[in-house]
């Protein structure tokens, strides 16, 4: 796969332009690994939200603050029995994220508030410790009764007197529940903070404070509390894990707005991304009339079109930048005649690559309006619709393109991509084969057919397809890179490394000014998967970033390698870099979600040092390999 693939990262889901070979690749392994090993990842650096099968049992169960180490995980049958017993014992209590009820006393007799003595600091000071504790329990029980009757102000008065007798975290948390019911969020924060100061691992108080912070739109503070709660509870509460995920997105969306204000709209993504997108369409000769033999003034629209097409042929980052500028200028100058539809097509292509989706769609619409027979415009528009989550419109554009020219092999290749992304392997294989039947010179149809056969479980057919690719396209580095990925997936590490080395050497020979760095990244992952060799893997990623400083996949791989080593602060820098490199608003939010999760994890360890050892122990207790084979 490449930088323009469509593998959806864990939070939130998104798709990149769907035009080049997808899956069985770096992004796929990275994101699947993060999704399948969420608990491990979070214990390393808070990068993913954990959802486990324990549900809300513990959350509905405790009537006391932190109780030390967690109990062994129960079986499903035991959990069901325990959950039912808890529900019967505490039928009046709700989830803390909705303002959970105060903890009920275990033994104190409930007296009416009128029967209890009226106290103040002076009368409390005259009581013995035992008398204070006994009176506090009675006041708490009466407060719980008032709370149950929704007399929140009376409950607040009773809990306040209980606190006067004994500053207990439960009493503060119960009073906070009353303020929660009255939507007095600042007071909820004040009381839960008092509770947490008395018991830093008091999960219920943390959750109440997190909810209050969220109502006050203090999302970072809310995220910090919910994250600490998740760690204390060892990721067993699905409600809180969901809250963390939701808040990560909110915090990321806030920060994404700031990034978008300063983002350069004319900046292209990495050369690896651009070249992989461009090469997903078969190379065609320049249109008649724009050959080099024709001379046009640089200050004319046709002259700029000629210059842009010439720059693209260099297949370098500078060439793509020059081409993008030329196509913009060509349309500004006008007088393009029959080439106007092509000009809109090309400007739309580069606007899509820059992440300017609405502008790109307008250009592709105009291109189709000017020349309805230009099937590539339909295909590119379909790719954009799919990226924006509209499969129906994408399919319509593909079908319209086929009506225009049923013998265009590119159409079937991209329709196969659409099927591939949705796991429709048989349909994908059929369309890749149709693309090959119409033109067998396009390597990516062969590669993707082999990958699809592999996904279908037809391993022998897949290997045979790749052997034919090596025989018929022996000087194309992509063949060796993708074949290496399948070998890596099977755990054939040495053979995979040999393929990646061959691919990299060919990249140097055939594209010295525009090398694809994916073989380097794949080799890095292979060496780590095989030997847990961080140093060499990091060096390979660093080399990839020297060649292509803006390669998002290299940045993501470095972040994951650093997380595996517990280098959280360093990993954070790479996640922030990923946000800078992101193309579209949704991609920026996704990258920032990772960054904010990592940043929050750092803050948790700073604010709750006692959790650092807990995290370390949890991480050591979980087995989770770095992305490699599946």
């Amino acid at each position: 796969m490449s930088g323009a693939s469509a593998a959806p990262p864990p939070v939130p889901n998104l798709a990149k332009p769907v035009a080049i070979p997808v899956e069985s690749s770096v992004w796929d392994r990275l994101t699947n690994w993060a999704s399948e090993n969420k608990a491990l990842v979070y214990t390393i650096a808070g990068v993913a939200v954990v959802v486990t099968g324990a549900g809300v049992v513990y959350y509905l169960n405790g009537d006391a603050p932190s109780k030390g180490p967690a109990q062994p995980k129960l079986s499903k049958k035991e959990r069901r029995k325990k959950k039912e017993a808890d529900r019967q014992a505490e039928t009046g209590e709700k989830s803390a994220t909705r303002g959970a009820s105060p903890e009920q006393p275990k033994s104190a007799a409930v007296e009416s508030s009128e029967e209890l003595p009226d106290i103040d600091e002076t009368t409390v000071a005259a009581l013995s410790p035992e008398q204070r504790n006994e009176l506090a329990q009675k006041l708490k029980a009466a407060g719980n009764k008032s709370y149950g009757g929704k007399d929140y102000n009376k409950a607040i008065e009773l809990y306040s007197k209980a606190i006067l007798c004994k500053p207990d975290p439960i009493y503060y948390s119960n009073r906070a529940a009353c303020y929660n019911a009255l939507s007095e969020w600042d007071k909820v924060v004040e009381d839960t903070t008092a509770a947490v100061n008395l018991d830093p691992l008091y999960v219920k108080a943390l959750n109440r404070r997190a909810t209050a912070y969220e109502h006050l739109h203090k999302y970072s503070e809310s995220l910090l509390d919910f994250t600490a709660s998740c760690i204390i509870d060892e990721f067993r509460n699905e409600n809180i894990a969901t809250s963390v995920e939701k808040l990560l997105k909110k915090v990321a969306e806030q920060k994404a707005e700031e990034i978008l204000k300063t983002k350069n709209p004319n900046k292209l993504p990495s050369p690896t991304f651009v070249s992989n997108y461009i090469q997903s369409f078969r190379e065609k000769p320049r249109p008649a009339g724009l050959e080099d033999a024709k001379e046009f003034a640089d200050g004319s629209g046709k002259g700029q079109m000629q210059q842009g097409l010439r720059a693209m042929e260099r297949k370098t980052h500078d060439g793509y930048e020059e081409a993008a500028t030329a196509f913009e200028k060509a349309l500004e100058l006008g007088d393009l005649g029959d080439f106007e539809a092509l000009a809109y097509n090309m400007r739309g292509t580069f606007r899509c690559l820059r992440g300017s989706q609405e502008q790109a769609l307008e250009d592709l619409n105009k291109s189709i309006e000017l020349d309805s027979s230009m099937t590539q415009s339909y295909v590119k528009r379909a790719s954009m619709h799919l990226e924006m989550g509209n499969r129906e419109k994408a399919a319509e554009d593909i079908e319209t393109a086929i009506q225009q020219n049923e013998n265009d092999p590119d159409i079937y290749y991209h329709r196969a991509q659409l099927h591939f992304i949705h796991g429709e392997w048989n349909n994908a294989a059929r369309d890749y084969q149709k693309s090959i039947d119409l033109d067998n010179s396009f390597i990516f149809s062969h590669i993707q057919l082999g990958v699809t056969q592999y996904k279908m479980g037809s391993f022998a057919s897949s290997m045979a397809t790749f052997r034919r690719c090596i025989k018929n396209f022996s000087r194309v580095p992509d063949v060796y890179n993708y074949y290496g990925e399948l070998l890596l997936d099977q755990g054939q590490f040495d053979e995979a490394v040999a393929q990646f080395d061959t691919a990299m050497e060919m990249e140097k020979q055939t594209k010295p000014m525009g090398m694809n760095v994916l073989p380097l990244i794949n080799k890095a992952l292979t060496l780590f998967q095989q030997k847990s060799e961080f140093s060499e893997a990091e060096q390979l990623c660093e080399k990839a970033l020297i060649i292509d400083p803006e390669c998002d996949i290299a940045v993501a791989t470095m972040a994951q390698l650093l997380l595996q080593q517990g280098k959280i602060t360093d990993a954070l820098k790479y996640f922030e870099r990923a946000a800078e490199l992101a193309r579209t608003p949704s991609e920026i939010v996704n990258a920032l979600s990772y960054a904010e999760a990592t940043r929050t994890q750092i803050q948790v360890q700073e604010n709750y040092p006692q959790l650092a050892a807990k995290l370390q122990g949890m991480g050591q207790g979980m087995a989770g390999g770095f992305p490699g084979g599946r």
Side-chain angles (χ1 to χ4, degrees):
M1 192 174 76
S2 80
S5 71
V11 279
N13 289 331
L14 79 146
K16 293 186 177 183
V18 190
I20 39 67
V22 293
E23 284 235 354
S24 183
S25 189
V26 187
W27 262 123
D28 187 40
R29 290 200 303 278
L30 285 172
T31 55
N32 277 325
W33 176 80
S35 295
E36 293 165 9
N37 297 275
K38 285 183 176 182
L40 174 68
V41 179
Y42 212 137
T43 59
I44 296 170
V47 172
V49 177
V50 179
V51 178
T52 67
V56 296
V57 174
Y58 175 76
Y59 204 67
L60 295 176
N61 183 28
D63 77 351
S66 60
K67 300 186 178 78
Q71 297 299 314
K73 190 172 181 181
L74 302 175
S75 68
K76 287 185 178 179
K77 185 176 181 180
E78 291 170 326
R79 289 202 304 272
R80 283 197 299 270
K81 288 182 178 179
K82 190 174 190 306
K83 186 172 183 179
E84 183 58 31
D86 293 335
R87 187 180 293 114
Q88 292 174 2
E90 300 188 42
T91 54
E93 188 172 43
K94 300 177 183 178
S95 169
T97 55
R98 298 180 182 177
S101 301
E103 287 88 337
Q104 299 295 327
K106 291 187 176 180
S107 58
V110 181
E111 300 181 21
S112 68
S113 58
E114 290 76 14
E115 296 173 349
L116 294 169
D118 190 17
I119 61 170
D120 56 26
E121 290 183 7
T122 303
T123 55
V124 169
L127 299 175
S128 68
E130 292 78 11
Q131 289 173 322
R132 292 182 193 178
N133 185 61
E134 183 180 352
L135 181 55
Q137 287 286 341
K138 290 179 179 180
L139 287 162
K140 174 198 170 187
N144 288 352
K145 185 176 179 180
S146 294
Y147 182 95
K150 297 186 178 181
D151 189 350
Y152 302 121
N153 289 315
K154 184 64 177 178
I156 289 169
E157 178 187 337
L158 291 164
Y159 290 136
S160 297
K161 289 180 178 179
I163 291 168
L164 195 60
C165 293
K166 180 185 178 183
D168 187 286
I170 292 177
Y171 305 162
Y172 280 109
S173 182
N174 283 4
R175 190 169 69 178
C178 298
Y179 288 128
N180 185 94
L182 297 170
S183 299
E184 295 185 34
W185 306 116
D186 286 317
K187 290 184 178 179
V188 174
V189 170
E190 184 179 335
D191 272 356
T192 50
T193 298
V196 171
N197 287 340
L198 290 167
D199 182 357
L201 304 185
Y202 191 2
V203 169
K204 186 169 286 187
L206 283 167
N207 290 336
R208 282 196 178 120
R209 187 170 69 177
T211 301
Y213 276 138
E214 187 174 1
H215 281 285
L216 292 168
H217 304 292
K218 295 182 177 181
Y219 299 128
S220 294
E221 291 88 342
S222 180
L223 177 59
L224 177 60
D225 279 349
F226 274 137
T227 301
S229 172
C230 268
I231 295 168
I232 294 167
D233 202 24
E234 298 189 6
F235 311 102
R236 288 194 292 260
N237 191 315
E238 292 188 22
N239 289 342
I240 305 307
T242 300
S243 295
V244 172
E245 187 168 355
K246 178 181 69 174
L247 283 163
L248 280 174
K249 186 176 181 183
K250 282 186 177 180
V251 174
E253 285 173 342
Q254 283 185 333
K255 297 195 173 185
E257 289 178 7
E258 297 303 313
I259 289 179
L260 287 168
K261 289 177 184 177
T262 59
K263 188 175 178 63
N264 181 359
N266 297 317
K267 184 178 176 60
L268 284 174
S270 78
T272 299
F273 187 103
V274 175
S275 62
N276 282 332
Y277 183 87
I278 297 296
Q279 72 181 8
S280 71
F281 294 90
R282 287 163 169 79
E283 244 183 298
K284 296 178 181 177
R286 287 193 221 167
L290 290 178
E291 306 94 334
D292 283 336
K294 296 283 185 177
E295 293 187 7
F296 298 104
D298 287 344
S300 68
K302 292 177 183 176
Q304 286 298 310
M305 282 295 295
Q306 195 178 56
Q307 191 170 313
L309 293 170
R310 187 185 303 120
M312 286 187 66
E313 290 165 1
R314 300 207 305 267
K315 299 179 182 178
T316 65
H317 189 60
D318 289 343
Y320 293 133
E321 291 279 7
E322 183 181 329
T325 301
F327 296 133
E328 292 274 357
K329 196 171 181 180
L331 283 165
E332 290 173 10
L333 293 169
D335 193 24
L336 293 167
D338 293 340
F339 306 120
E340 188 175 4
L342 177 61
Y344 278 106
N345 175 299
M346 298 311 301
R347 188 174 74 174
T349 299
F350 282 99
R351 284 181 168 179
C352 169
L353 289 166
R354 287 167 173 157
S356 301
Q357 295 168 307
E358 295 302 325
Q359 287 184 324
L361 278 177
E362 288 175 7
D363 279 348
L364 293 171
N365 291 342
K366 184 66 174 178
S367 176
I368 290 167
E369 179 187 322
L370 291 167
D371 184 357
S372 60
S373 68
M374 189 173 288
T375 55
Q376 193 184 91
S377 294
Y378 291 103
V379 172
K380 288 179 178 178
R381 191 170 70 177
S383 173
M384 289 205 62
H385 284 314
L386 195 55
E387 179 180 31
M388 298 168 77
N390 194 330
R391 179 179 179 177
E392 186 176 336
K393 283 190 175 181
E396 287 176 4
D397 272 340
I398 292 292
E399 295 310 311
T400 304
I402 291 174
Q403 293 170 15
Q404 294 295 327
N405 183 0
E406 63 180 7
N407 294 317
D408 184 342
D410 274 345
I411 303 173
Y412 299 98
Y413 174 78
H414 286 275
R415 186 169 70 175
Q417 297 289 76
L418 186 153
H419 290 308
F420 188 102
I421 289 162
H422 291 91
E424 299 161 0
W425 311 124
N426 289 326
N427 289 338
R430 184 162 51 249
D431 276 338
Y432 287 131
Q433 187 60 58
K434 176 72 172 178
S435 176
I436 292 169
D437 292 342
L438 289 170
D439 174 17
N440 66 3
S441 68
F442 186 59
I443 180 58
F444 290 113
S445 293
H446 295 272
I447 289 175
Q448 279 300 102
L449 176 61
V451 173
T452 303
Q453 290 167 333
Y454 188 85
K455 300 291 282 186
M456 294 168 69
S458 301
F459 302 126
S461 297
S462 175
M463 294 298 107
T465 296
F466 271 96
R467 284 193 292 272
R468 285 195 300 272
C469 286
I470 291 172
K471 178 181 178 181
N472 297 326
F473 302 92
S474 61
R475 302 303 300 167
V476 179
D478 302 89
V479 174
Y480 301 93
N481 179 55
Y482 291 102
Y483 184 43
E485 290 187 355
L486 296 194
L487 294 171
L488 172 58
D489 196 71
Q490 298 173 53
Q492 299 182 43
F493 301 115
D494 292 335
E495 294 87 343
V497 167
Q499 297 299 321
F500 298 139
D501 283 340
T502 300
M504 204 62 229
E505 189 58 36
M506 286 190 181
E507 288 283 349
K508 293 177 186 176
Q509 295 173 7
T510 60
K511 296 182 284 183
M513 301 301 294
M515 292 169 55
N516 187 329
V517 299
L518 293 184
L520 276 175
I521 301 169
N522 276 324
K523 183 178 178 181
L525 295 178
T526 306
L527 292 176
F528 176 79
Q529 182 78 0
Q530 181 182 21
K531 306 173 184 177
S532 294
E533 175 52 61
F534 286 110
S535 178
E536 190 171 356
E538 281 188 38
Q539 289 174 12
L540 288 165
C541 286
E542 288 169 355
K543 185 176 179 181
L545 287 169
I546 290 172
I547 297 170
D548 185 353
E550 300 186 347
C551 179
D552 54 346
I553 302 177
V555 170
T557 306
M558 276 295 289
Q560 297 286 11
L561 287 169
L562 292 165
L563 288 180
Q564 282 279 319
Q565 299 171 77
K567 297 179 180 178
I568 303 174
T569 304
D570 292 336
L572 175 59
K573 294 176 183 176
Y574 279 92
F575 284 126
E576 290 174 335
R577 175 64 177 152
E580 294 173 4
L581 296 175
R583 293 171 47 251
T584 65
S586 62
E587 289 178 18
I588 294 172
V589 168
N590 181 69
L592 286 173
S593 294
Y594 280 94
E596 289 308 309
T598 308
R599 193 191 321 281
T600 302
Q601 184 72 13
I602 294 170
Q603 292 172 342
V604 167
Q605 295 195 28
E606 290 174 348
N607 293 356
Y608 303 93
Q610 61 270 54
L611 292 182
K614 185 181 182 77
L615 279 169
Q616 185 177 2
M618 290 170 63
Q620 291 173 349
M622 297 178 185
F626 197 79
R630 278 172 297 147

